[in-house]
Amino acid sequence: MILVGLLAGALMLTGCQGSTATKEEETEGKHLSFLYNFATNSLDPHVDSSYVPLRAGITETLMKLDEEKLTVTPWLAESFEGEDGQNWTIHIREGVTFHNGKELDAEAVKNSLSRAVKESIAVKNALKIKEMKADGQILKIQTTEPFPEFISELVNPNTAIIDVSEDDIINRPVGTGPFELSSFSPGSKLEVERYKDYWDGAAKLDAVTFAFNEDASARTLALKSGQVDIVYRPEVESLESLKAEKGVVVDSTSTFRVHQMTMNMQREEMKDVNVRRGIDALIDRKEIVDTILLGHAEPAIGPFLPSLPFAPSYEEDGQEDAVAYLKKAGYTIKGGVMQKDGKPLSLTLLTYSARADLPLIAQVFQSDAKKIGISVKIRQIDVPEDYMGGNRDWDLATYSNLTAPRGDAGYYLNATYHPKGALNFSGAEEPELTSIINELNRTVDQEKRAELSEAAADYVHDHMINSFILHPSTIVAYDGDRVKNWVTTKSEYYMITNELDVKEP
């Protein structure tokens, strides 16, 4: 069976960027070693797409997601008001200091948000800030238009508050979190140590090594060998062997993430909706979930988890429908080749190894497409956001995205389908869809927001702007004999916290 061969070849597809962390042999106090699956060469929180500064406990945002209630709650902010959805008053928490000892006030927050808007077009489009005024601990913000979900956008790790007067933000950002940066080796690891004056209670740990390795098998081996304490997204095929290891805990938690097949609608072949529908029909979601993810996922038809109130349901096409859709687009199979006007249907599919299951999904699709005469060339890329945002020489891409990290659809719909969206890699410019999203941005009532979100998802499905494969679980493995208070969050934002601890020897 083709999938057996694909799984056996997984190691050939995983990237080896970064280096496996090792526990410090002579570290004073409580030390923990954490191994993450995405490497970063910059710790600038306003542009880092891996969100490492927040995940490593260096930075914090004004607002935070309550993981249990799926609501937004103040964090560096103490409270807020904004009844008209356009004029906001944010009360900055008192008694908070940056790691350099400077006090956090409204002026510092204003300067940090101003820099975030300047450095990131995605943040600028998301926040829609027209004007900010700071007075003591009070920050007043006016948006360019009524925008009821403005406060939820302040959960975004790229809006993290830092002291922007510091010189080297890329390598040494100064935040307010429970840990301050002690060293950074780009692409390899960072070391953080407890910030003793942390406003919410000093961390239980003295220091943490936050290292990167994009090779899932290497991450698994690092935990098995005792080199690290916690591994984020170990190799799925190794989960049973990990569970058999003495003391190892494997935690699998559903999240708001979706693995999708992004369609480049600016490519000539991809402009035909029936071609896109044919591609969608080719995806055998259940087999991918069962064989590649080993059941640690659920098939996806739309972008949102079925449990969310704005997640519509659709009847799924079977692989046998793919040829029918392509026939509507004018294609026929001649000599075993799917073609139109004598031109074979040949597609370039992007994938990346930091999420080890995506290259395998790409290979499964390539194999299934070949059965009906479609040639699929798989191209490995490093940073998908950079490549897809700057190049249009591809047709499809396996991509993974958080679709409702704050329990609301606004983030994903704006980022992925609005013409100004930072993650609009399909190049979609659909006036009707944009109108729905714009109305959603102005709407306060939650029932109405759910209706609009569902309408937007319906439009995406009906026009097959992107195709959705599965909702993966987040899997974390750790040394349960040593690690205390680890929490695998749905949002994937909060990792190294002041409560995280290790047991005394």
Side-chain angles (χ1 to χ4, degrees):
M1 186 177 179
I2 186 68
L3 285 176
V4 175
L6 296 179
L7 292 172
L11 294 181
M12 298 177 63
L13 289 169
T14 51
C16 297
Q17 298 182 18
S19 60
T20 299
T22 58
K23 291 181 182 178
E24 300 294 333
E25 294 182 359
E26 297 183 3
T27 301
E28 294 184 5
K30 293 182 176 181
H31 175 270
L32 181 141
S33 185
F34 178 88
L35 189 54
Y36 190 53
N37 61 314
F38 274 110
T40 184
N41 291 309
S42 167
L43 292 181
D44 184 340
H46 297 152
V47 297
D48 172 32
S49 60
S50 295
Y51 305 152
V52 168
L54 185 132
R55 287 168 168 161
I58 299 170
T59 62
E60 298 170 306
T61 48
L62 288 173
M63 309 300 296
K64 186 177 185 179
L65 181 68
D66 184 320
E67 296 278 344
E68 296 300 320
K69 300 177 181 177
L70 297 184
T71 57
V72 172
T73 185
W75 200 9
L76 287 179
E78 195 167 49
S79 61
F80 63 91
E81 299 97 37
E83 293 183 3
D84 65 355
Q86 186 168 13
N87 294 282
W88 301 90
T89 299
I90 301 175
H91 301 263
I92 308 303
R93 189 179 297 277
E94 295 187 1
V96 179
T97 57
F98 289 105
H99 298 151
N100 56 15
K102 293 182 181 178
E103 291 189 6
L104 179 73
D105 58 14
E107 186 66 28
V109 173
K110 174 187 172 183
N111 292 338
S112 183
L113 291 177
S114 294
R115 181 185 184 277
V117 167
K118 180 180 178 181
E119 294 295 323
S120 170
I121 187 65
V123 173
K124 179 180 179 180
N125 291 339
L127 297 185
K128 309 181 194 300
I129 293 176
K130 179 180 181 180
E131 184 180 30
M132 290 189 285
K133 293 181 180 179
D135 182 13
Q137 297 301 112
I138 304 297
L139 180 64
K140 292 184 178 294
I141 299 178
Q142 183 182 56
T143 54
T144 56
E145 59 189 58
F147 184 30
E149 286 301 303
F150 170 75
I151 286 296
S152 73
E153 292 294 336
L154 298 176
V155 171
N156 188 331
N158 288 142
T159 67
I161 305 304
I162 58 173
D163 183 356
V164 298
S165 68
E166 292 287 337
D167 293 332
D168 191 3
I169 292 175
I170 291 177
N171 295 296
R172 296 198 65 85
V174 174
T176 61
F179 293 92
E180 57 182 312
L181 184 68
S182 56
S183 68
F184 175 47
S185 301
S188 177
K189 67 178 181 178
L190 57 148
E191 305 280 354
V192 298
E193 58 188 28
R194 177 172 57 195
Y195 178 51
K196 61 182 179 62
D197 294 324
Y198 179 54
W199 64 272
D200 199 24
K204 292 177 169 58
L205 292 169
D206 293 287
V208 176
T209 297
F210 192 110
F212 317 117
N213 196 309
E214 297 189 353
D215 187 328
S217 62
R219 294 196 299 274
T220 299
L221 290 173
L223 181 64
K224 285 185 174 182
S225 64
Q227 291 178 293
V228 298
D229 299 301
I230 304 175
V231 169
Y232 207 75
R233 293 198 177 93
E235 186 181 38
V236 176
E237 296 91 331
S238 301
L239 292 184
E240 291 306 314
S241 64
L242 276 174
K243 291 176 182 177
E245 293 279 329
K246 182 180 180 300
V248 170
V249 175
V250 176
D251 192 8
S252 180
T253 303
S254 63
T255 67
F256 304 120
R257 182 171 294 280
V258 72
H259 285 359
Q260 67 185 46
M261 186 75 80
T262 298
M263 314 268 194
N264 182 356
M265 293 176 63
Q266 295 178 358
R267 296 278 273 189
E268 194 59 39
E269 290 83 359
M270 302 302 296
K271 290 179 181 179
D272 192 317
V273 67
N274 284 305
V275 172
R276 302 197 297 272
R277 286 174 178 158
I279 289 169
D280 177 75
L282 269 176
I283 300 170
D284 192 336
R285 293 165 173 84
K286 188 177 186 305
E287 186 174 13
I288 290 172
V289 166
D290 292 343
T291 314
I292 294 179
L293 277 296
L294 303 182
H296 292 277
E298 59 179 298
I301 303 300
F304 307 117
L305 278 173
S307 59
L308 292 168
F310 42 80
S313 60
Y314 311 106
E315 289 187 11
E316 183 180 357
D317 289 320
Q319 289 187 308
E320 66 278 1
D321 297 309
V323 173
Y325 280 125
L326 290 167
K327 184 177 180 181
K328 289 181 180 180
Y331 287 88
T332 56
I333 301 177
K334 294 182 179 179
V337 177
M338 184 70 69
Q339 55 186 281
K340 179 180 180 180
D341 300 328
K343 181 182 177 182
L345 181 56
S346 179
L347 304 173
T348 297
L349 171 59
L350 304 180
T351 192
Y352 54 103
S353 60
R355 298 190 184 277
D357 39 344
L358 294 185
L360 296 176
I361 292 171
Q363 283 200 324
V364 170
F365 179 81
Q366 180 188 52
S367 175
D368 288 339
K370 185 178 180 179
K371 294 174 183 176
I372 61 170
I374 301 174
S375 172
V376 175
K377 178 183 178 182
I378 297 175
R379 183 186 301 165
Q380 290 273 347
I381 57 176
D382 292 327
V383 183
E385 293 82 8
D386 290 349
Y387 193 92
M388 289 192 287
N391 300 276
R392 308 309 291 171
D393 58 348
W394 53 277
D395 302 287
L396 305 168
T398 58
Y399 186 64
S400 188
N401 201 356
L402 285 168
T403 58
R406 301 147 214 170
D408 184 88
Y411 158 76
Y412 174 76
L413 294 174
N414 276 281
T416 310
Y417 301 106
H418 198 283
K420 294 182 179 180
L423 304 180
N424 186 358
F425 303 127
S426 63
E429 292 192 32
E430 305 282 321
E432 185 178 342
L433 179 58
T434 302
S435 177
I436 295 171
I437 296 171
N438 287 339
E439 186 178 353
L440 174 68
N441 291 339
R442 296 188 294 265
T443 300
V444 177
D445 181 76
Q446 289 303 309
E447 288 189 8
K448 181 62 175 176
R449 287 186 64 81
E451 290 177 9
L452 290 166
S453 298
E454 186 169 347
D458 286 341
Y459 188 98
V460 170
H461 177 267
D462 293 344
H463 295 78
M464 201 53 67
I465 298 175
N466 286 319
S467 182
F468 305 97
I469 304 169
L470 57 86
H471 299 289
S473 298
T474 290
I475 305 171
V476 179
Y478 60 91
D479 181 351
D481 288 339
R482 187 166 191 269
V483 176
K484 295 171 60 178
N485 305 333
W486 167 262
V487 177
T488 305
T489 61
K490 291 182 174 67
S491 67
E492 304 179 35
Y493 287 166
Y494 315 113
M495 298 181 184
I496 308 302
T497 69
N498 61 331
E499 293 298 322
L500 189 59
D501 200 0
V502 293
K503 300 172 186 176
E504 298 288 357

